Amino acid sequence: MAKGHYQAVFERSLQDPNGFWAEAAENVHWHKKWDKVLDDSNPPFYRWFAGGQLNTCYNALDLHIDNGRGDQPALIYDSPVTNKIKTFSYRELRDKVATFAGALAAQGVGKGDRVIIYMPMVPQALVAMLACARLGAVHSVVFGGFAPNELAVRIDDAKPKVVVSASCGIEVARVIPYKPLLDEAIRLARHKPDKCIILQRPMERAELVAGRDLDWREAMDAAAPHDCVPVAATDPLYILYTSGTTGQPKGVVRDNGGHVVALKWTMKNIYGVDPGDVYWAASDVGWVVGHSYIVYGPLFNGNTTVLFEGKPVGTPDAGTFWRVISQHKVKVMFTAPTAFRAIKKEDPNGEFIKKYDLSQFKTLFLAGERCDPDTLEWAQNHLGVPVIDHWWQTETGWAICANCMGLESLPVKPGSPTKPAPGMDVRVVDENNKEVKRGDIGALVIKLPLPPGTFPTLWNADQRFVDAYLSEFPGYHKTADAGYIDEGGYVFVMSRTDDIINVAGHRLSTGGMEEVLAAHPDVAECAVIGVDDQLKGQLPLGFLVLKAGVARDHSEIVGEVVKMVRERIGTVAAFRTATVVGRLPKTRSGKILRGTMQKIANGQDYKMPATIDDPVILDEITVALKGVGYPGSG
Ligand code: COA
Ligand code: AMP
């Protein structure tokens, strides 16, 4: 591709967003074309393709069948944990989706109704998502590693008519029964779904509640296929809850029209894949990466998508990724750096890589957390393909910054996700909302309006949307990441500006964990920080101040709070370490100095905060951290 092509496309996307995205939208099937490309009549609420009507499922499946791709594989399910590989053609997948849409409709699910999907990485999870899209219903997928309480919070917010779940998930060799978690969540929730449709897996069969629960297979057998229901481009396709600064997650909304247009555009222009190519995102359908790049993007583009039910290591070994790439002829793969750190730890010399023919593999994309240059270089050296770090978040649904391989392969700078993607007007501002000089660190923000496919609002929470994202830096979307742009226009994402930590690519709120610790009867005060970890990037670490007079063994209390976080938030939080301290370091106005504690734990230099109430406490914190192994080798 010609030098300067990226820059030309990027500039056009900002100068003429209407023309740019209208052109991309020509590639999508519309039941009715839009009246307006960008409706900016009610800022800061922007709407794309207002007046247009389409169906997301039609664009993902039926369109390709109509265009002669019916026999092409749409989905390869590869499950080392069950020893199964199964391929579904576009026609087979469409037929299953249409039938499940019929099953949902038979339970009264229609346009605008919500359906929660709490499932492991099985094809039925995709079938359920696409069936909702077919009906114009709104799905909300909840990641399987979340505990009943987190699921209950989401049930109460989304108020689903139906929940779709499975009897169990499989974590390496361990069977995790999902159904008891679902039953407990429904018991805890104020809102009760009318029905649950349960996929019975042979490793663990679930007890069904008479009158409420239906067996997936029976529901399918009884259903008649349902056709695609046209919806407004601006209607919601899904809600995906993501960690916010409290225990109350934010319901990120995705619309139908902008989503199809943007994701289809990214497949060719960012990832460089053509219809027919095999594309694999090794993530989970419970996360945004799974929504955008296991399910929707590749299917909109007529690719073959891989659904992998396994881990980078241990299922059965550190060569499993290369086996999948080679066996299914994957052209482009997308995963989180943590997966590569796990592989690198087990196979530092890349011996497994040498055993497979990876000749058709062209590019590796990484995202979800900061990509450390060591991991990037290890992957580059051993795979011999471009390794592209790209930066995005649940809110944006697709890359904010990337090396757009379909436009022009720019030189890679380790530590940088390269340059803003077309449509993403990224700036760095100071606390007064003034742009800083190139090279200076500040808040990373994106000028409004955000491009299509990003979030138009939060579910039932317009004001929270404005307060959380748009008020601190008027005119911009606050990404809550800090970083800088260098002289060459490369963006560097350094850290979060809020309480979010990134554990093995999973986004978690330390505020949410603090709420759990504070609920322990012996705890007077607490703090949770993220500490560096060589494998998972970050791990949570808790500090507990006990109530006066509590004389119990500290290790017992720590054990109890660890169990509480596991039970209330989930195993995925990986909260395993806490330490009891006499006091927490605070400013004179009472703000806990979490950033300073984090620096001590990570063995970094820190400046004594000018506003600290009592500097001696930091010595006590240092001693307590040494007691639990920090600073470690993270
Ligand atoms: N259902 C139930 N439990 C789950 C789960 C799920 N879907 N996913 C994770 N868990 C559990 C794990 O079993 C583990 O439980 P344990 O504490 O009892 O052992 C815990 O949650 C933590 O899991 P995880 O973070 O996956 O750690 P791990 O040590 O099992 O594996 C990695 C480490 C790096 C191999 C793994 O995290 C990984 O593959 N990460 C990639 C992340 C990713 O795809 N992120 C999406 C953004 S692109
Ligand atoms: P999530 O919403 O779970 O996708 O998490 C989004 C957050 O993960 C971002 O706001 C960043 O903090 C972090 N993140 C994602 N990708 C990258 C990246 N390539 N580099 C640095 N941080 C990243």
Side-chain angles (χ1 to χ4, degrees):
M1 206 60 75
K3 202 158 184 280
H5 187 53
Y6 153 77
Q7 194 59 28
V9 174
F10 175 70
E11 281 170 19
R12 180 173 172 233
S13 76
L14 298 193
Q15 281 154 11
D16 175 23
N18 284 290
F20 184 88
W21 292 113
E23 215 172 280
E26 293 296 340
N27 208 8
V28 163
H29 176 274
W30 296 88
H31 284 84
K32 174 182 171 290
K33 278 224 169 152
W34 56 91
D35 299 326
K36 241 183 153 181
V37 181
L38 172 66
D39 175 0
D40 54 2
S41 58
N42 182 28
F45 298 95
Y46 298 94
R47 298 287 180 261
W48 287 95
F49 304 105
Q53 285 190 5
L54 79 172
N55 182 277
T56 288
C57 181
Y58 185 87
N59 275 284
L61 300 173
D62 303 62
L63 176 65
H64 305 305
I65 300 165
D66 294 351
N67 288 342
R69 288 188 178 275
D71 296 325
Q72 183 201 302
L75 169 68
I76 300 170
Y77 166 57
D78 187 309
S79 169
V81 295
T82 59
N83 257 325
K84 238 186 178 170
I85 295 178
K86 194 167 163 32
T87 300
F88 301 81
S89 68
Y90 267 95
R91 187 171 291 103
E92 286 165 337
L93 187 59
R94 191 271 316 268
D95 291 348
K96 288 209 180 308
V97 168
T99 308
F100 194 64
L104 287 173
Q107 301 311 319
V109 175
K111 198 160 149 173
D113 291 329
R114 272 82 56 214
V115 174
I116 279 191
I117 300 171
Y118 183 63
M119 293 188 99
M121 289 283 283
V122 290
Q124 289 84 353
L126 274 74
V127 168
M129 291 166 78
L130 290 159
C132 290
R134 198 169 185 87
L135 295 173
V138 181
H139 63 68
S140 186
V141 183
V142 178
F143 177 63
F146 279 125
N149 180 58
E150 291 287 323
L151 179 55
V153 169
R154 287 154 176 79
I155 290 175
D156 277 335
D157 198 66
K159 300 193 171 41
K161 218 171 216 178
V162 169
V163 177
V164 184
S165 188
S167 55
C168 65
I170 299 151
E171 280 293 294
V172 189
R174 217 158 24 111
V175 172
I176 314 264
Y178 272 38
K179 183 59 177 13
L181 306 178
L182 171 63
D183 289 341
E184 174 63 4
I186 293 176
R187 194 187 65 76
L188 291 171
R190 272 169 283 119
H191 171 85
K192 310 290 176 194
D194 297 345
K195 293 278 184 238
C196 298
I197 303 182
I198 309 294
L199 175 75
Q200 294 281 19
R201 302 187 81 186
M203 317 83 200
E204 166 94 21
R205 293 187 67 82
E207 291 251 341
L208 299 188
V209 175
R212 188 197 73 187
D213 297 346
L214 298 165
D215 178 290
W216 171 287
R217 283 186 190 85
E218 287 171 18
M220 287 288 272
D221 287 346
H226 203 293
D227 222 340
C228 293
V229 177
V231 297
T234 50
D235 278 344
L237 167 69
Y238 70 74
I239 310 166
L240 179 57
Y241 289 91
T242 189
S243 298
T245 44
T246 64
Q248 183 67 30
K250 296 170 175 156
V252 166
V253 172
R254 198 80 59 211
D255 67 9
N256 278 274
H259 179 247
V260 183
V261 172
L263 287 194
K264 194 163 183 177
W265 183 89
T266 64
M267 293 308 295
K268 174 70 188 163
N269 294 286
I270 294 186
Y271 298 101
V273 288
D274 292 309
D277 288 340
V278 183
Y279 181 95
W280 176 26
S283 176
D284 189 287
V285 285
W287 304 123
V288 67
V289 175
H291 282 59
S292 294
Y293 292 113
I294 296 175
V295 187
Y296 289 113
L299 295 179
F300 291 151
N301 199 45
N303 291 116
T304 301
T305 187
V306 179
L307 178 74
F308 175 69
E309 188 181 25
K311 298 252 175 183
V313 292
T315 60
D317 54 38
T320 198
F321 273 16
W322 326 129
R323 196 265 305 156
V324 171
I325 292 176
S326 158
Q327 188 167 349
H328 304 308
K329 300 198 168 27
V330 171
K331 183 173 173 190
V332 169
M333 181 194 190
F334 178 169
T335 191
T338 189
F340 267 73
R341 289 196 296 269
I343 294 170
K344 183 172 77 165
K345 193 167 160 220
E346 294 224 343
D347 182 19
N349 299 320
E351 295 301 334
F352 276 110
I353 299 176
K354 298 174 193 147
K355 294 188 187 163
Y356 296 95
D357 172 12
L358 305 182
S359 52
Q360 73 300 323
F361 182 47
K362 294 291 176 257
T363 324
L364 171 68
F365 282 84
L366 298 174
E369 56 177 329
R370 194 177 136 73
C371 181
D372 51 292
D374 274 1
T375 302
L376 185 95
E377 277 153 22
W378 185 89
Q380 252 168 1
N381 293 342
H382 286 94
L383 290 170
V385 298
V387 180
I388 309 298
D389 175 20
H390 59 332
W391 167 51
W392 51 301
Q393 44 186 206
T394 306
E395 289 82 351
T396 61
W398 56 283
I400 305 167
C401 285
N403 199 341
C404 296
M405 297 304 275
L407 293 176
E408 179 187 354
S409 170
L410 297 173
V412 167
K413 284 194 190 177
S416 165
T418 316
K419 297 191 181 186
M424 302 281 183
D425 191 353
V426 179
R427 313 278 177 101
V428 184
V429 295
D430 63 16
E431 63 276 15
N432 299 316
N433 206 18
K434 289 270 172 317
E435 272 187 66
V436 302
K437 283 201 315 292
R438 286 278 162 112
D440 284 0
I441 291 188
L444 286 163
V445 296
I446 312 171
K447 194 162 185 289
L448 299 177
L450 295 179
T454 55
F455 69 149
T457 189
L458 294 176
W459 182 250
N460 276 340
D462 282 348
Q463 193 53 48
R464 188 174 181 203
F465 168 70
V466 173
D467 294 345
Y469 297 104
L470 309 177
S471 358
E472 191 172 340
F473 304 107
Y476 297 105
H477 161 71
K478 175 174 96 172
T479 65
D481 281 308
Y484 64 95
I485 304 182
D486 75 4
E487 289 297 339
Y490 279 65
V491 176
F492 288 78
V493 184
M494 307 306 290
S495 59
R496 289 286 298 196
T497 58
D498 57 8
D499 74 331
I500 298 292
I501 57 170
N502 214 311
V503 180
H506 310 311
R507 171 170 160 176
L508 297 157
S509 153
T510 53
M513 294 185 215
E514 288 179 2
E515 284 175 23
V516 176
L517 304 193
H520 188 286
D522 294 340
V523 172
E525 233 189 334
C526 64
V528 175
I529 59 168
V531 290
D532 292 349
D533 180 73
Q534 260 181 359
L535 174 63
K536 297 197 175 190
Q538 283 186 300
L539 276 178
L541 170 67
F543 295 85
L544 311 171
V545 178
L546 302 183
K547 287 183 182 158
V550 173
R552 295 178 56 209
D553 185 22
H554 289 177
S555 64
E556 242 175 59
I557 299 173
V558 167
E560 285 163 10
V561 297
V562 166
K563 189 160 170 271
M564 282 169 73
V565 174
R566 219 177 150 81
E567 283 171 2
R568 300 217 188 150
I569 295 178
T571 44
V572 69
F575 182 87
R576 296 205 180 92
T577 316
T579 177
V580 174
V581 292
R583 303 172 288 173
L584 291 171
K586 288 186 187 167
T587 61
R588 282 190 283 276
S589 60
K591 218 170 145 251
I592 298 172
L593 290 161
R594 293 183 182 78
T596 310
M597 294 200 284
Q598 189 175 31
K599 288 210 167 85
I600 299 174
N602 289 337
Q604 293 161 343
D605 292 338
Y606 66 93
K607 267 205 235 122
M608 180 63 69
T611 55
I612 192 165
D613 184 27
D614 179 2
V616 176
I617 304 181
L618 291 184
D619 297 335
E620 293 170 23
I621 293 291
T622 307
V623 171
L625 280 167
K626 283 207 176 113
V628 285
Y630 288 96
S633 56

